[in-house]
Amino acid sequence: MSYTFFLLLLTLIHSTFYSLARMDRADLKSIRDSLTDMPGSAFFSTWDFIVPDPWSSFSSLTCTSLGRVTALTLGPNLSGSLSPSISKLAHLTQIVIYPGLVTGPLPSRFDLLPLLILISLTRNSLTGPIPNSLSSLSNLHSLDLSYNQLSGSLPPFLTTLPRLRVLVLASNNII
């Protein structure tokens, strides 16, 4: 009886692992599809979605033992726009996108990423305002959005985030 229970439990753990990994896999594929390597860059050359354990082939990716993405570092030299799927990686603690030509607005649903402690999207071509959804990130320690084309007013909530220690917004169009 206990052996059968053990096998059932092992099967449940195994299927949970793969279903969780599939969720993040689909979101990473969407992120990958929204960005491309600029000439001379081969960042995405290691991202192979066909292998059984894709996490081991992805450069600059950190995952939990259950296959959930906790740190996402993209670039350098990528172009395209940020997929809204980045907000579905619910276990993210860090998002870093190195200098490139990533364009478009910042993700609007940072409120879906409560574990974020670091956001560094410096030296790209991101546009639009700083989203209000950042106000819900009570664990955020560091926010670097410098050298983009962000616009609008400085959101007042940035001065009230309890753990924010580093805020860099230089070289944008923020009033």
Side-chain angles (χ1 to χ4, degrees):
M1 180 79 149
S2 65
Y3 180 73
T4 304
F5 178 74
F6 176 74
L7 286 178
L8 179 62
L9 182 62
L10 188 59
T11 303
L12 178 63
I13 290 170
H14 185 265
S15 65
T16 301
F17 171 81
Y18 282 104
S19 66
L20 292 172
R22 272 194 294 268
M23 286 172 27
D24 282 2
R25 176 188 267 192
D27 296 328
L28 288 171
K29 183 145 180 28
S30 177
I31 292 165
R32 166 63 186 103
D33 291 345
S34 72
L35 297 168
T36 57
D37 285 311
M38 291 170 39
S41 173
F43 176 78
F44 283 123
S45 66
T46 63
W47 284 43
D48 184 355
F49 288 94
I50 297 171
V51 298
D53 181 19
W55 314 118
S56 62
S57 74
F58 292 179
S59 61
S60 305
L61 190 67
T62 305
C63 297
T64 66
S65 60
L66 291 176
R68 301 306 305 261
V69 178
T70 58
L72 182 62
T73 304
L74 301 174
N77 301 320
L78 299 178
S79 64
S81 60
L82 286 178
S83 169
S85 292
I86 205 164
S87 297
K88 294 180 182 177
L89 297 171
H91 289 80
L92 273 181
T93 60
Q94 300 177 40
I95 300 172
V96 177
I97 298 180
Y98 283 114
L101 293 175
V102 179
T103 61
L106 292 169
S108 62
R109 296 302 313 263
F110 280 107
D111 56 316
L112 299 176
L113 303 171
L115 303 176
L116 275 177
I117 59 173
L118 169 74
I119 302 172
S120 179
L121 307 175
T122 186
R123 296 188 185 275
N124 280 284
S125 295
L126 297 168
T127 58
I130 296 172
N132 287 329
S133 62
L134 282 171
S135 65
S136 66
L137 300 181
S138 59
N139 292 314
L140 192 64
H141 286 251
S142 180
L143 176 62
D144 186 350
L145 302 174
S146 61
Y147 297 94
N148 278 288
Q149 298 168 17
L150 299 173
S151 58
S153 349
L154 181 66
F157 68 78
L158 288 176
T159 61
T160 62
L161 289 172
R163 293 192 173 94
L164 190 63
R165 300 294 175 255
V166 176
L167 174 62
V168 186
L169 301 173
S171 294
N172 278 293
N173 299 315
I174 297 173
I175 320 171

